[in-house]
Every structure is written in C-alpha cells, then in structure tokens.
Amino acid sequence: MARTFDKTLLLAIGCVLLAMITIQSGASLAKQLFPLIGPDGTTALRLGFSAIILWLVFRPWQALPNGRDWQAIIVYGLCLGGMNILFYLAIARIPLGIGVALEFTGPLAVALLASRRKRDLFWVVCAIGGILLLLPDMRGVDALDPVGVLQALAAGGCWAGYILFGKKTGSQASGGITVALGMTVAALVLVPVGAVTQGLALLSWQVLPLGLLVGILSSAIPYSLEMVALRHMTSQNFSVFMSMEPAIAAMAGFLFLAEFLTLWQWLAIVLVIIASLGSSLTAGKTKTASPVVTEH
C-alpha cells in the first residue's frame, strides 16, 4: 500500500511540475510572437486554438448549462479573456517572472481574504512586501515599466474573478466543460479584436503553427496534467506546489528569453512565493483547489 501511495503521489507531483513548466514555456513562446502579431494577436490565437482543443476533448455540448448558469459562465469567460490579454500586454513590457509574481497576487488575495486567522496577516505582509519591491523606481536604471506593472496587477484581479466565478459554475458536469465554455466566451470576444488589429498576419504560415503550439502548451497540456494531479493529491498539496510557479516563470524567462532579474526582484518573487506557500499550508481542510488556479 505504501509503495502504491508513493507512486501515485510522485505521479501527481510530476504532473503539477510538468504543468507549470509547459504553461511557462507556452508564455515564453507567446512572448516571441509579440514582434510578429503583438500581444492582442497572440491572445487571439491562443484562445481560439485552446477553445477548439477543449471542445474536442471535453465535448461541452453534452452538458450545456441552463438559465442563470450562463451568467456565471459568461462572467467567468470574460475574466479568463481579460486575464489572458492583460497578462500578455504586461509581459510585453516587463520580465515574465515578475509578471507572474504580480499576477499571482490575485489568487493569493482570494485565499487570504477568505481566511479569519490573525496569523495569516504575516503572509499578507510578505505579499505586500513583494509587491512593493517590484513597484517601479523611476530613478533606477533597471526600472520596471509602470504600465506593465499595472497590467500585471489588473490581470491578477481578473484571475481572482476567474476563480470566484469558476466556483459559481460548479453545477456543470465537470471542470473541463466549464473551462471549455469559458474559453469559448473569451475567444468570441478577443479573437475578433486580434483579427481586426492584426489582420491577415494571423493567418501567416509562420505564425499559425506557433499559435497552435502556444494553445497546446498554455492550456491543453497543463489543464489535463492538473486534472490527473488533483485525483492523486490533496487540494492543500496542490496549492503548495503551485506556489512555486513565479520562480519557474522567472527561470523560463531566463532560459528562453534571456531575461535577467536583479537581486531585489528575485527577493520580491521569493516573498510572493512565501506568502502563497504559507497561505496554502495554513488553509483549512475544507478549502478546495481547482485547475483554474493556473489558467493564465
């Protein structure tokens, strides 16, 4: 029994780590598309291809929502779309690792605001400290773009809304169907925007395969891996491992995009990770985790 447990837990851990690696690899690849079709065009391709893939995999037409359920689905999808476009706009201006760290404040705020423990104030202080260290110092040579910082924080706000409204769609047959429908709503809004702003550039054979790969790496593969992981580990363990994502994003930015961070920026990322890790470890047993935590 112990050996079986160890194997399943190791499988779950491997799936979580691989999901984080693929989603940040997808973000790194997406950033390389920005010079060709911009963040808006890249968002359009990612959402469009992701929606198609998720429809083929989860077949949401078999359990479409009824009545008021559509309201939550639509808001959920709008938050998903806003999160994607704002995050891509942000990392066009600031390093990937810093963008993820700032965006991570959204789900972190949801977790901390739901807490009633005074000791969780320490994690709030860590998160605020990390954000303050990342705020632009206009006097510095390596100052961050203030617009990029605000866009990353706004993406975090959309991520928070995505989590909250994702929970309200719990009447759906499965999380996969919910995400497929939400992705469709986001695609219906933002694919036309990308098409208008970028035109025929989106249909270039130089761009389309990369756009498909971004959709696969950023949505299809990580979401499937997280579904497997959540079947073999607790919600708390899932959240603990996901806390490492800002560091993985920073490493992906360094390896694929040659983005170098200062010591203070690394310290800020560490503080955000500590806040996320601490809030996960002190969370109540009734708290649930969901793949929506990594969909950005």
Side-chain angles (χ1 to χ4, degrees), residues 126-149:
C126 287
I128 293 175
I131 295 172
L132 290 177
L133 285 176
L134 289 175
L135 289 180
D137 179 6
M138 301 311 295
R139 298 169 298 177
V141 178
D142 299 322
L144 295 176
D145 188 314
V147 176
V149 170

Side-chain angles (χ1 to χ4, degrees), residues 13-29 87 95-101 104 217 222 225-226 238-259 261 265-266 269-270 272-273 294 296:
I13 292 172
C15 287
V16 173
L17 293 176
L18 187 56
M20 288 188 287
I21 291 171
T22 56
I23 201 168
Q24 296 310 326
S25 298
S28 300
L29 179 61
F87 178 69
L96 176 61
I98 293 176
V100 172
F104 226 73
L217 289 175
L225 289 170
E226 289 159 12
F238 180 85
S239 298
V240 166
F241 281 103
M242 289 309 307
S243 301
M244 301 304 298
E245 190 164 11
I248 291 178
M251 289 304 299
F254 172 73
L255 293 173
F256 300 123
L257 303 171
E259 294 178 343
L261 304 183
Q265 289 170 343
W266 271 110
I269 289 175
V270 169
V272 172
I273 290 173
T294 62
H296 59 76

